[in-house]
Every structure is written in C-alpha cells, then in structure tokens.
Amino acid sequence: MSAPSSQPTPEAPHPSVLIIYTGGTLGMRAGRHGLTPAGDIESRLTHALGQLPLSQQQALPPYEVFSYPDLIDSSAITPGHWTQLANDIAQRIADYQGVVVIHGTDTLSWTAASLAYQLQGLDRAVILTGAMQPLEAPDSDALDNLYGALRCAREPGMQEVAIYFHGKLLRGARATKQHSEAVDAFSSPNYPLLGERVGDDIVHYPSRSLAEQQRGAPRFELPDYNALGEGAIIRLALWPGITAWQLAAWLDDSRVKGGLLQLWGAGNLPDDPSLLAVLAKASGEGKLLAAISQCPQGSIHLGAYAAGQGLHDAGVLSGDDMTPEAAFGKLVHLAAQPLSEDDRRQRFLMPLVGER
Ligand code: ASN
C-alpha cells in the first residue's frame, strides 16, 4: 500500500462523502453465538437513511460505500489494521468531501487516535462512528449516529480525525469509551467538544478545532505498524503491591520497544527503588517509556510528590493529560518510524494533533 501521489485539492472537492465500513455492532446481525458482523451494508444504509424525515435526508451529502471483505468485531483490532485503514483513507480521501468510518465501539477511540497521528495535516474531516445497537434493532442509536457523522464529514472547518457519537463531536485523539452499555458511550475528559447536534443541525466550534490551531503543512505519516511485530509496545497500570519482578517480566523482554505506564493520581509510583531501577534499565536500553494517570480526568505532574520524583531520572516521559488511547497510539506511531531516540522522545513531548 502506498501514500497518495498528490495531496487533496480543496478548491475542487468531489461532492460525495466516502463511508468506510469495518464492522462493529452498527452493522451486526444476530448469529448462533451472539451478534456478529454482517455485510450488504450499502443497501442496508440506503434503507435505514431512507427512514429519516425528509428534511434530514435532504441535509445529507451523497455518499459512496467501501466495505472491507473481512468485517470484524472491533475487539479484534490490531495496530496492523490501523496501518491498513490509514493507507486506505490516504489513497482515497482526495476524491471525497470527507470520510466516515463505521467502526465497533470497543476500540473506536484507539483507532481514532492512531488515525490522527497517521493522517496529520488533513484538510478535511475523517469521522469515526458506530453504535451500541445494530442498525435494524428497535430504537437503535445507529441511524442518529450515521446522520450526525455524515453531516460532520462535509463540514469545511472540520480538518481532523474526530468521533461523532450520540450528538457529540469529539477530537479523535482526546476521546475514550466511557460506558459499556449506554448510548452516550464516549467522552473527551480533558478537551471540550468540537461540536454537537442541536435539533437537526450540527454546531461546530471552530476555535477548538485543529484547523485553527496547528494543522500545519498537509502531510501524511503512514508507517507500517506491522514492522514492529506483535506486542512491541505494552501498557501497564499499577496496582497496590506491584513488584519489580512483575514489571521486569514485561519490560526486560527484548521484543518490547516501549511502554505506557498508568500511575497513581498526579503521577506517583510506590516508594520502591527496585521499581525505578527496572524502569531506568529499560530506558537505558532505548525503550520509550511514558506515563499517564489512572484517573480518567486531569494531568500528571512528575515530581510534584516525592513518590513520583525518580521517574524523570529513570527516563520516563510525561504523557501529561493524554488518554491511554492517545498515549499508547503515539508510542506505537513513534516506534514504527525511523527516528533517533532523541527525536522520538522530543516528539512524544510535543502535541502533534492536539492530543495533549
Ligand atoms: N463489540 C462491538 C465492537 O466493538 C461493540 C460495539 O460496536 N458497540 O465491534
């Protein structure tokens, strides 16, 4: 898969929005062992969107559908899928007004964060959506989510990867799944909404968008995450009583190239020098280590407490107020590129797509 040969030309956009279907509950049907991804999505979408009130139908852009042949429950997603999806979007986006990705909700925010890093410099919208109930289920949230996502995808001021779900437009690299059952399943704990649905309209807040802040020169960064091999970046949340040998069991493995630590509160670790020694050894071997909080809201401040003092010296980078999805996705993204260790560390600490 290769990057597009030319960048999109905003002066002459194609009127359609491209819908990319990856699977997820939105398109599932009941099978013998429970809900399972189902195809025939184009005619199902036409039928479902045709049930909307006429005024809403008229407000929708025309669309084309690209469906993956192997549809998945998003719990099966891997960084390899993120690479594939980013490449497929990069190859096609210049021909469309924007892109909607239909994705399972379980890992939707992980994919959104990864796409944000890979599709830096977008000059139009890539909107991920899904549903908690299948399209054909009674009172499903699917149709409203599709309606909103299609409207957002053609919004000219939207020039980033975002999630539209239950009336809210969230920055992709700031969002997280907050509920396993409710239709209001996503939140953006440390960044305000990019927009929201008001009646039949979508209100967009341009001053919060990447287009206003730091879009920069259009460029895509499409590294091959497969090249990292399975499991090169790990994620580990502290628990009371964690020991150095347990931490070492993850970090000493030569296949591991980096890791995300989820610390206590504002960035604290148990008062145990042997834990810091394991971290310092891994950093010394060139492994990229970063830390965020286990708290869903707020930031870490390494060294604010004595209990967090040694982390900086052990080479652990502050992930500030990033979501686990954004911090983990950034480690994967940086580790997959031919960068020096210093460059990786520097880029981790600077905001690339408004993720921190
Ligand atoms: N397990 C489903 C998925 O992530 C959940 C959903 O889409 N609501 O594919």
Side-chain angles (χ1 to χ4, degrees):
M1 215 103 33
S2 59
S5 53
S6 61
Q7 292 296 325
T9 49
E11 308 77 52
H14 190 284
S16 294
V17 164
L18 176 65
I19 298 180
I20 299 184
Y21 176 52
T22 68
T25 296
L26 186 144
M28 287 192 186
R29 290 193 196 272
R32 273 201 307 148
H33 305 291
L35 287 174
T36 185
D40 194 21
I41 196 70
E42 190 159 357
S43 62
R44 292 167 65 202
L45 290 178
T46 309
H47 178 76
L49 292 167
Q51 321 270 305
L52 287 169
L54 202 57
S55 59
Q56 288 184 21
Q57 289 187 44
Q58 284 166 347
L60 287 176
Y63 62 86
E64 289 174 19
V65 180
F66 169 82
S67 175
Y68 282 104
D70 299 321
L71 301 167
I72 57 168
D73 184 306
S74 78
S75 52
I77 208 100
T78 64
H81 289 106
W82 297 339
T83 294
Q84 165 99 46
L85 185 54
N87 275 285
D88 288 333
I89 293 170
Q91 282 181 348
R92 291 168 175 80
I93 194 166
D95 296 331
Y96 295 91
Q97 229 175 348
V99 175
V100 168
V101 178
I102 299 176
H103 195 289
T105 60
D106 287 341
T107 59
L108 190 144
S109 47
W110 295 80
T111 299
S114 172
L115 290 179
Y117 298 124
Q118 294 186 83
L119 302 174
Q120 286 172 60
L122 276 175
D123 67 353
R124 55 200 72 187
V126 173
I127 310 289
L128 286 89
T129 196
M132 300 304 279
Q133 296 296 328
L135 198 52
E136 289 87 3
D139 301 322
S140 170
D141 55 332
L143 196 50
D144 272 351
N145 288 346
L146 279 169
Y147 172 79
L150 281 163
R151 291 282 309 263
C152 292
R154 72 144 177 221
E155 174 67 46
M158 268 303 299
Q159 303 185 347
E160 62 183 286
V161 177
I163 294 174
Y164 181 86
F165 215 92
H166 191 60
K168 299 192 291 195
L169 184 64
L170 313 160
R171 172 162 295 161
R174 286 285 195 166
T176 197
K177 187 172 178 183
Q178 64 169 0
H179 206 291
S180 62
E181 294 162 322
V183 288
D184 189 8
F186 289 88
S187 67
S188 174
N190 289 323
Y191 196 76
L193 299 181
L194 298 181
E196 58 196 311
R197 183 169 171 171
V198 179
D200 279 355
D201 283 327
I202 306 291
V203 180
H204 175 226
Y205 305 122
S207 62
R208 299 173 185 172
S209 84
L210 215 50
E212 292 288 314
Q213 294 168 359
Q214 54 176 84
R215 187 167 68 77
R219 71 174 194 284
F220 294 136
E221 278 182 13
L222 301 165
D224 182 2
Y225 294 158
N226 290 301
L228 281 178
E230 298 294 320
I233 308 295
I234 58 133
R235 172 195 182 193
L236 189 149
L238 298 183
W239 62 90
I242 184 173
T243 63
W245 69 262
Q246 289 168 318
L247 195 57
W250 292 81
L251 288 177
D252 280 357
D253 193 307
S254 62
R255 290 168 293 186
V256 170
K257 305 285 179 246
L260 175 65
L261 306 169
Q262 287 187 252
L263 306 172
W264 303 124
N268 302 316
L269 190 75
D271 181 18
D272 175 356
S274 63
L275 288 173
L276 286 175
V278 174
L279 295 173
K281 175 171 176 276
S283 292
E285 291 165 357
K287 298 182 179 181
L288 194 60
L289 300 183
I292 57 170
S293 178
Q294 297 195 15
C295 302
Q297 290 185 47
S299 191
I300 62 163
H301 305 280
L302 293 183
Y305 289 87
Q309 264 306 330
L311 286 159
H312 184 262
D313 293 342
V316 178
L317 301 170
S318 169
D320 206 346
D321 62 352
M322 281 197 267
T323 59
E325 293 90 324
F328 183 91
K330 195 167 186 180
L331 290 174
V332 169
H333 187 69
L334 295 174
Q337 293 179 83
L339 298 168
S340 71
E341 198 183 321
D342 275 357
D343 275 353
R344 283 200 182 105
R345 294 176 65 83
Q346 226 173 53
R347 287 195 202 191
F348 186 85
L349 293 171
M350 62 195 224
L352 300 178
V353 285
E355 75 281 10
R356 62 182 295 160

